[in-house]
Amino acid sequence: MYGFAPPPPLPPSPGYRAGKPAAIEVTGDGIVSVIPDQAVIVLGAVTEGESLSPLQAENARIISAVIDSLLQLGISRDNIQTDEFRIDPQYDFQDGKQIFRGYRVTHLLKITTERVGETGTIVDTAVSKGANSVSGISFRTSQPQKYSKEALALAVRNAREKAQTIAASLGVTLAAVPEFVREISRQNEPVPFKASVLAASPATPIQPGELQVYAAVSARYTFS
């Protein structure tokens, strides 16, 4: 006797979980724009030559002059620190052979200041005293936790609004309190604005712009 197998069961409707009431799951995003109140500048001196001792002395002379000029601008010594110091041998390659040609000494300073509007002046002053490497300028806020919380609150609100929109389109009533709310890992969180300066000129214009603080959540709401 021949027969036909019964059709497979239909997949559960969205939001259904065995033993649990139907629910709506959404994600929410929150972004807060912040005017930066701190600038971080990395600059210094790179010197090259055949003899190491005079090369180090020349590099130290430039860095000392740069630091003195920054102190005269009113920047605290506590806000000036060495970010990188390196001595690297330099080689040429001729006919498959490695030929020593000298050394490179790199000394970079990290300057932190709340005088964001004077960033260009700080760079120009350092360059005028011999700094020949400006590897980066970044802007940040001194209250990251405050703005992270604001962005998180916006993300929760955004998730609620999405769930309400879906519930209204389905003709159902959303629960007042979500079953859960979970912060989503911010692996791709926007980083502070950065600017690279290859060569500074008088009155170098540096624009801090705005920072974007981002948060995201996932939430599950039951409905009836």
Side-chain angles (χ1 to χ4, degrees):
M1 182 176 180
Y2 297 95
F4 297 95
L10 294 174
S13 59
Y16 173 82
R17 292 184 182 181
K20 293 188 176 182
I24 296 170
E25 293 190 12
V26 291
T27 59
D29 302 287
I31 299 177
V32 175
S33 296
V34 182
I35 300 298
D37 59 8
Q38 290 183 339
V40 180
I41 308 159
V42 179
L43 54 77
V46 179
T47 52
E48 296 184 354
E50 296 181 359
S51 182
L52 183 57
S53 293
L55 192 62
Q56 285 182 278
E58 173 64 9
N59 192 285
R61 183 194 65 77
I62 295 172
I63 292 299
S64 294
V66 168
I67 292 174
D68 288 343
S69 69
L70 296 176
L71 294 174
Q72 291 175 14
L73 285 178
I75 297 174
S76 169
R77 190 177 292 273
D78 292 339
N79 290 333
I80 305 171
Q81 66 183 83
T82 293
D83 185 70
E84 180 181 354
F85 181 80
R86 296 178 55 182
I87 298 176
D88 298 305
Q90 302 294 296
Y91 297 93
D92 289 328
F93 292 89
Q94 297 179 3
D95 300 326
K97 294 181 180 180
Q98 183 174 274
I99 301 174
F100 176 75
R101 65 177 174 85
Y103 297 93
R104 173 185 294 160
V105 178
T106 302
H107 191 167
L108 299 179
L109 302 172
K110 181 167 73 172
I111 302 113
T112 304
T113 179
E114 295 179 352
R115 291 148 57 181
V116 176
E118 298 179 20
T119 302
T121 298
I122 292 170
V123 171
D124 293 338
T125 299
V127 170
S128 72
K129 297 299 180 180
N132 60 0
S133 175
V134 184
S135 63
I137 299 172
S138 62
F139 298 96
R140 65 190 186 189
T141 174
S142 60
Q143 303 182 74
Q145 292 300 320
K146 171 187 174 182
Y147 296 111
S148 292
K149 290 178 181 178
E150 289 184 11
L152 189 59
L154 290 175
V156 172
R157 187 185 308 168
N158 180 243
R160 174 76 183 178
E161 291 171 352
K162 287 183 178 180
Q164 287 176 326
T165 299
I166 295 172
S169 67
L170 294 175
V172 297
T173 302
L174 200 68
V177 179
E179 202 172 49
F180 73 78
V181 177
R182 182 179 299 114
E183 185 176 9
I184 298 174
S185 176
R186 295 173 291 177
Q187 295 179 350
N188 296 317
E189 181 177 6
V191 297
F193 171 85
K194 292 185 177 180
S196 293
V197 180
L198 300 180
S201 60
T204 299
I206 305 294
Q207 301 299 321
E210 290 186 342
L211 306 177
Q212 300 293 316
V213 181
Y214 172 76
V217 300
S218 61
R220 186 173 191 266
Y221 288 87
T222 58
F223 59 83
S224 58

